[in-house]
Amino acid sequence: MAKERVYLFDTTLRDGAQTNGVDFTLADKLAIAGMLDELGIDYVEGGYPGANPTDTELFGSDHKLKATFTAFGMTRRPGRSASNDPGLAALLAAKADAICFVAKSWDYHVRVALETTLEENIASIRDSVRAAKASGREVLLDCEHFFDGHKANPQYALACAKAAYDEGARWVVLCDTNGGTLPNEVETIVGEVVNAIPGDHVGIHAHNDTEQAVANSFAAVRAGVRQIQGTLNGLGERCGNANLVSIIPTLKLKAEFADRFETGISDAALKKLAHVSYALDERLNRAPNRHAPYVGASAFATKAGIHASAIAKDPATYEHVLPETIGNRRKVLVSEQAGKSNVLAELERIGIKVDKDDPRISSLLDLVKERETIGYAYEAANASFELLARRTLGKVPNYFDVEQFDVNVEQRYNALAQRVTVAMAVVKVKVDGETLISAAEGNGPVNALDQALRKDLGKYQDYIKGLKLTDYRVRILNAGTEAVTRVLIESEDEAGDSWTTVGVSPNIIDASFQALMDSIIFKLVKSGAPA
Ligand SMILES: [Zn+2]
């Protein structure tokens, strides 16, 4: 039996741009549109031409997307003709393959917010769809508040949708604008709509205000719609839109949908999904959600020893899908409760070959446990664990020695007579028998130390020049009789790889120094720097 096509419509660049704290530049929009296109998304909604300079510029030039590039905007204003509406004119002038109109479909909103008659609203839908069709565009209509409108006045909500369909709109999209509709309600209401409009012309646009935007999207597909609108990582106003990053793998990997439907996403593209999700957060400078379904760093992470040994025998024992299919990976957490199987699995992942009966495995395990009781957190610091493992198994060269360092913090008046605090560090490093001394200023002691340490590492300088610190977290712990400081440092290199290192000491500078050293040495090991 031939599979039915389900179309994916991404609105990250339009509805997702409503997210608190998100502000896309033109370069952001172009880069994200490119990622979506590579993924195989059918429709990329770029924004609202005429509403702001970025979107106007975005729709001012041609693009090279395989996806249907879509401009969003309002239907003609009440009381105006389609040919005499500047908003509609801007939309028709946009360089876009499709136009997605938004129109009210809740009678209460038409009267109160739009202050017009029910008939005039329908006439505006008809005129706008007709004008966009005449300009040669594919047309979509987002029916705002469709579900609330349908509960209040089902005939009117449906009449709005039907008007657009009758005028030749390719898609009529049912929007749960306030996000409060529940899956069973979506299924019932969509069931009624598809009696009047064929399901392969109907879409769903769900918001996540009850944490069910994904469930609502699937309820709608079950009831007959064939287009799903959503955003990357569920970006969007308030609680966000339906998360395409969760929807895509469910459509592709779960038999209920995979057996019946096909999408534009290839198996190869699916393998890039975790990266796309990560790259979006990176661009927005947001910490990725570790617990995100399918793509999060913890989505396939196992902690307890029994689970880890079962996973080593057969991953299907504790995993609902294979992590590689979405470009994620299995991760066994090394922690206080770690069993030997955990450590072995982690060593295998990082590519250290060792016999499972090697006595050094037990030494490593003891060392991890011992250090975790004094405050180290190897579960969070993957790179420090890898170094500890490599050192225990005798595989880390001694690249350089820090013979001495000195950090100074001084408060004084600057030339503008302002009171400022300045930190300065001097580091004495021995590389290949040669002593190198570097000094640097920083906005704080750790920053100054980092700058000085990385200023001159002799023959290793080239290996670390792409290294940057992306996060620095400090916690005070009570270990035994005294308080100690734990520092976690996240670093990234030119290849976009990131890793975390840890340092623990009663002294914050000392703890930071350990974590900085681990980060640099990890980078040298990773790059295969010669001893
Ligand atoms: Zn929306």
Side-chain angles (χ1 to χ4, degrees):
M1 201 179 75
K3 289 185 186 179
E4 278 185 80
R5 183 73 154 82
V6 167
Y7 294 83
L8 295 168
F9 182 107
D10 180 279
T11 181
T12 304
L13 302 179
R14 200 274 301 170
D15 228 0
Q18 302 301 317
T19 313
N20 216 328
V22 166
D23 195 10
F24 294 124
T25 62
L26 183 62
D28 288 337
K29 286 205 165 194
L30 292 169
I32 294 165
M35 291 197 311
L36 291 164
D37 202 36
E38 242 179 78
L39 206 52
I41 298 286
D42 299 294
Y43 293 82
V44 172
E45 191 170 54
Y48 193 165
N52 60 68
T54 304
D55 286 1
T56 304
E57 206 180 332
L58 178 68
F59 285 101
S61 44
D62 288 313
H63 60 83
K64 294 183 192 72
L65 301 178
K66 295 186 287 296
T68 304
F69 192 53
T70 308
F72 173 91
M74 300 217 284
T75 51
R76 73 154 173 82
R77 269 187 273 169
R80 286 205 180 225
S81 70
S83 56
N84 188 28
D85 184 300
L88 186 57
L91 205 48
L92 294 177
K95 297 207 173 185
D97 310 310
I99 290 176
C100 182
F101 288 110
V102 58
K104 303 216 176 283
S105 56
W106 184 356
D107 59 354
Y108 161 74
H109 265 262
V110 173
R111 282 191 302 259
V112 176
L114 209 56
E115 295 182 8
T116 189
T117 63
L118 301 186
E119 296 72 27
E120 172 62 3
N121 183 49
I122 288 190
S124 152
I125 293 173
R126 287 188 178 280
D127 292 348
S128 307
V129 172
R130 202 181 303 133
K133 280 282 289 181
S135 76
R137 262 50 162 265
E138 184 176 333
V139 186
L140 300 91
L141 181 81
D142 273 3
C143 299
E144 195 184 58
H145 297 295
F146 184 84
F147 294 92
D148 297 307
H150 193 275
K151 286 183 213 168
N153 184 343
Q155 292 79 16
Y156 187 70
L158 194 57
C160 294
K162 194 77 173 31
Y165 175 67
D166 289 344
E167 287 298 336
R170 169 67 184 89
W171 293 101
V172 174
V173 183
L174 314 179
C175 302
D176 185 26
T177 309
N178 292 357
T181 311
L182 302 179
N184 60 316
E185 299 174 309
V186 168
E187 204 158 345
T188 307
I189 293 172
V190 169
E192 288 176 31
V193 173
V194 297
N195 283 331
I197 303 171
D200 58 1
H201 289 269
V202 182
I204 179 78
H205 176 112
H207 278 262
N208 203 29
D209 298 72
T210 72
E211 185 88 23
Q212 298 188 89
V214 169
N216 279 342
S217 304
F218 287 125
V221 170
R222 224 170 263 133
V225 313
R226 293 297 176 258
Q227 185 196 95
I228 303 174
Q229 297 201 345
T231 59
L232 289 178
N233 295 347
L235 235 56
E237 207 171 7
R238 305 187 310 274
C239 318
N241 286 55
N243 185 357
L244 287 180
V245 174
S246 296
I247 288 172
I248 290 167
T250 298
L251 281 174
K252 294 266 307 166
L253 301 174
K254 297 295 174 179
E256 180 190 348
F257 299 103
D259 292 351
R260 283 184 62 197
F261 302 113
E262 57 189 4
T263 66
I265 317 284
S266 67
D267 293 347
L270 186 64
K271 286 198 169 77
K272 294 182 194 150
L273 191 66
H275 178 74
V276 166
S277 168
Y278 179 83
L280 180 79
D281 284 326
E282 182 69 15
R283 192 161 265 282
L284 295 174
N285 211 7
R286 288 154 49 118
N289 174 10
R290 302 185 63 82
H291 303 285
Y294 293 107
V295 297
S298 296
F300 298 94
T302 313
K303 189 164 181 174
I306 313 174
H307 291 190
S309 66
I311 282 179
K313 285 176 199 147
D314 180 6
T317 47
Y318 284 95
E319 286 171 359
H320 72 115
V321 294
L322 286 173
E324 303 80 41
T325 51
I326 46 256
N328 206 341
R329 64 178 175 81
R330 183 170 303 130
K331 195 171 157 208
V332 180
L333 302 174
V334 180
S335 75
E336 249 187 299
Q337 344 168 348
K340 198 170 156 185
S341 49
N342 257 354
V343 172
L344 279 168
E346 191 58 15
L347 290 177
E348 193 184 319
R349 193 196 63 73
I350 59 189
I352 299 179
K353 287 195 175 48
V354 59
D355 188 85
K356 70 176 171 41
D357 297 317
D358 192 315
R360 290 176 302 175
I361 301 290
S362 300
S363 324
L364 175 61
L365 194 53
D366 289 343
L367 198 56
V368 167
K369 285 180 177 167
E370 192 183 301
R371 290 171 71 91
E372 289 201 332
T373 41
I374 58 170
Y376 287 84
Y378 289 106
E379 191 177 310
N382 57 340
S384 288
F385 171 76
E386 185 171 334
L387 286 180
L388 190 69
R390 289 187 184 277
R391 284 186 179 122
T392 309
L393 303 167
K395 287 173 184 165
V396 179
N398 187 29
Y399 299 107
F400 62 91
D401 289 306
V402 176
E403 298 202 314
Q404 196 183 329
F405 72 78
D406 179 43
V407 184
N408 231 308
V409 181
E410 188 182 276
Q411 202 175 69
R412 55 173 151 85
Y413 288 101
N414 67 8
L416 300 168
Q418 294 158 328
R419 198 96 180 123
V420 290
T421 304
V422 188
M424 204 178 104
V426 180
V427 177
K428 198 169 164 187
V429 192
K430 199 164 190 174
V431 188
D432 252 356
E434 190 190 353
T435 300
L436 306 165
I437 298 174
S438 307
E441 275 192 347
N443 54 23
V446 176
N447 180 242
L449 183 60
D450 174 44
Q451 299 295 325
L453 193 55
R454 294 200 279 144
K455 210 167 190 177
D456 189 3
L457 268 188
K459 63 173 182 175
Y460 298 119
Q461 197 56 31
D462 273 355
Y463 293 94
I464 62 163
K465 66 172 192 279
L467 176 71
K468 59 176 183 188
L469 304 191
T470 51
D471 201 10
Y472 175 83
R473 299 191 295 276
V474 177
R475 263 187 82 179
I476 309 294
L477 309 166
N478 272 310
T481 51
E482 58 176 349
V484 295
T485 305
R486 174 203 287 161
V487 168
L488 284 169
I489 288 179
E490 215 171 285
S491 311
E492 200 185 274
D493 67 6
E494 62 283 357
D497 293 331
S498 64
W499 60 87
T500 307
T501 52
V502 62
V504 172
S505 164
N507 181 318
I508 186 171
I509 302 286
D510 198 33
S512 306
F513 178 72
Q514 291 172 27
L516 286 172
M517 286 290 285
D518 267 11
S519 176
I520 292 171
I521 294 167
F522 181 80
K523 171 64 178 152
L524 294 176
V525 171
K526 178 179 180 284
S527 309

